[in-house]
Amino acid sequence: MRWMICLLVILLRGCHSLSLLERPTAENLPPIMPLWERYQQCLVTTDPAELLLIIDQLERVVPAGAEPPSWTRPWGQYVTSQPLRASVDPQALSAACTIRAAALRDQTEQLAEARALYRRVQERYTHRDWAYYVEQAQEALAGLQGSGPAVVAFRGRGVVSR
């Protein structure tokens, strides 16, 4: 009878009550405020070297979701990691900062560097969560393509093609 009551309690409370010791701690999460401060610096600085340093720092932060409890591992493919729920997405901050750095390079006529930064956004942020940033990079790249140097070919008058 006790086993039946325990089983009924577990079923009524749900699976989350079994893994009280396996909950993710705050130590596993990336600190949000330093990331936000770095992003705020990205918005105000115009130094290209500092912008690249900020972008690299933001890209190094890879938040991981919470791993499922160990007792659910035998179910294999039916159990997945839970996504990280945070107020700030480091990947989105990094993509936005990269686009800003590319726009600044475009304004200062450093088109090769701007193209490289826009392509960096296209290559690194392919997940649909960051499609907004990829679209911005594609539109800006299309604008850069049209502003390239004009190539004019001259034909000599003495040459007649037949």
Side-chain angles (χ1 to χ4, degrees):
M1 184 68 171
R2 288 183 186 172
W3 286 103
M4 294 296 280
I5 293 173
C6 288
L7 184 59
L8 184 61
V9 167
I10 289 172
L11 289 174
L12 292 177
R13 288 191 65 193
C15 296
H16 296 289
S17 63
L18 289 177
S19 61
L20 292 176
L21 299 176
E22 296 182 27
R23 293 197 187 271
T25 62
E27 297 167 359
N28 298 340
L29 302 176
I32 299 300
M33 287 313 291
L35 294 176
W36 185 249
E37 290 169 0
R38 293 304 286 167
Y39 178 69
Q40 293 298 316
Q41 289 175 348
C42 174
L43 295 178
V44 296
T45 189
T46 56
D47 180 26
E50 186 177 357
L51 279 170
L52 289 177
L53 179 66
I54 292 171
I55 292 168
D56 288 338
Q57 289 173 347
L58 290 174
E59 285 180 347
R60 272 192 248 128
V61 177
V62 180
E67 288 295 319
S70 60
W71 61 270
T72 61
R73 291 196 183 118
W75 289 316
Q77 67 183 5
Y78 302 108
V79 179
T80 60
S81 298
Q82 294 298 312
L84 176 66
R85 298 187 197 315
S87 58
V88 176
D89 182 4
Q91 300 297 324
L93 295 180
S94 175
C97 189
T98 305
I99 288 175
R100 182 176 183 282
L104 284 175
R105 295 287 174 106
D106 183 19
Q107 290 174 356
T108 59
E109 300 296 324
Q110 298 173 344
L111 300 181
E113 292 88 355
R115 278 188 191 94
L117 288 170
Y118 286 131
R119 287 188 183 119
R120 183 176 182 168
V121 171
Q122 287 180 321
E123 293 168 2
R124 288 188 63 97
Y125 305 100
T126 57
H127 194 268
R128 66 176 182 178
D129 290 346
W130 305 297
Y132 170 76
Y133 302 105
V134 172
E135 288 174 13
Q136 278 188 331
Q138 287 173 343
E139 289 173 7
L141 257 176
L144 284 177
Q145 304 278 342
S147 66
V151 177
V152 180
F154 291 103
R155 246 179 126 169
R157 290 182 178 247
V159 178
V160 178
S161 61
R162 294 189 184 212

